[in-house]
Amino acid sequence: AQTVTQSQPEMSVQEAETVTLSCTYDTSESNYYLFWYKQPPSRQMILVIRQEAYKQQNATENRFSVNFQKAAKSFSLKISDSQLGDTAMYFCAFTSRDDKIIFGKGTRLHILP
Amino acid sequence: GAVVSQHPSWVICKSGTSVKIECRSLDFQATTMFWYRQFPKQSLMLMATSNEGSKATYEQGVEKDKFLINHASLTLSTLTVTSAHPEDSSFYICSARNGADGNQPQHFGDGTRLSIL
């Protein structure tokens, strides 16, 4: 069975600091995709960043980057120069051939002024 | 692009009534849509996969007679909560993918907050 584990239920950092959210997953698939979604208080699901498993290069989107370690099945999200608007629930997610998205339990991130 | 519209955003109704939630892909065609349920401070739980022109595929433990899914066109899927009861109160979210390539991410609707009195 495919699983996604986020070991940090909640985190708080000061504005402008860098924060890393952890995610590990388990799968027997060789080709899959990984995502980080952000869910602010409005509860809208917003795609932050995505990574194809066959690509070794870590994905980057402005202040957001990932550290993808395929052998370790690890997919952490780094947020640089954190902003108040980054306060949200962050979900790590996995999908493979059947298109189903498996979500982790989420990490609630608080950016403190 | 890739906008998914979900309606209504909030509904309150009496126990025993049926409630229909619509999920529309506004600027793309979606052969597959997904329905999720989210309890407060928890993750999204996949309820079913909605396939255009065929029966939905339900996840284990989800009552298909309770949660009716219809995917009549490439841009619309509906979820009907039949004979709703207070325990059905939750946040329901749909998603759709633009294209057949698994590389394309799923795009989510804004969700529907369902409250059964």
Side-chain angles (χ1 to χ4, degrees), chain B:
Chain B
V3 177
V4 175
S5 173
Q6 190 171 336
H7 179 81
S9 57
W10 198 354
V11 58
I12 302 173
C13 60
K14 293 182 179 181
S15 182
T17 59
S18 293
V19 179
K20 180 184 285 187
I21 302 170
E22 293 186 347
C23 180
R24 294 180 183 272
S25 55
L26 297 185
D27 50 1
F28 65 98
Q29 293 183 331
T31 55
T32 304
M33 293 183 175
F34 302 87
W35 287 96
Y36 299 84
R37 183 173 182 175
Q38 186 179 31
F39 291 105
K41 297 186 179 181
Q42 293 190 22
S43 188
L44 280 71
M45 180 190 76
L46 179 64
M47 299 175 65
T49 302
S50 172
N51 302 297
E52 188 267 336
S54 64
K55 292 183 178 180
T57 303
Y58 290 82
E59 295 299 302
Q60 190 174 11
V62 177
E63 300 176 61
K64 61 180 180 181
D65 295 331
K66 175 75 170 178
F67 300 99
L68 299 180
I69 292 173
N70 183 279
H71 196 151
S73 76
L74 288 171
T75 59
L76 174 64
S77 176
T78 60
L79 168 68
T80 301
V81 183
T82 61
S83 186
H85 292 283
E87 59 266 29
D88 298 323
S89 297
S90 190
F91 191 67
Y92 294 87
I93 310 176
C94 70
S95 71
R97 197 183 64 213
N98 183 7
D101 185 357
N103 180 41
Q104 297 299 317
Q106 292 188 19
H107 300 278
F108 288 82
D110 288 344
T112 297
R113 188 185 306 275
L114 175 62
S115 298
I116 308 299
L117 304 178

Side-chain angles (χ1 to χ4, degrees), chain A residues 23-42:
Chain A
C23 173
T24 58
Y25 59 95
D26 189 22
T27 182
S28 58
E29 300 278 349
S30 59
N31 190 24
Y32 50 88
Y33 306 94
L34 296 161
F35 306 90
W36 278 98
Y37 281 92
K38 168 185 177 180
Q39 189 179 41
S42 65

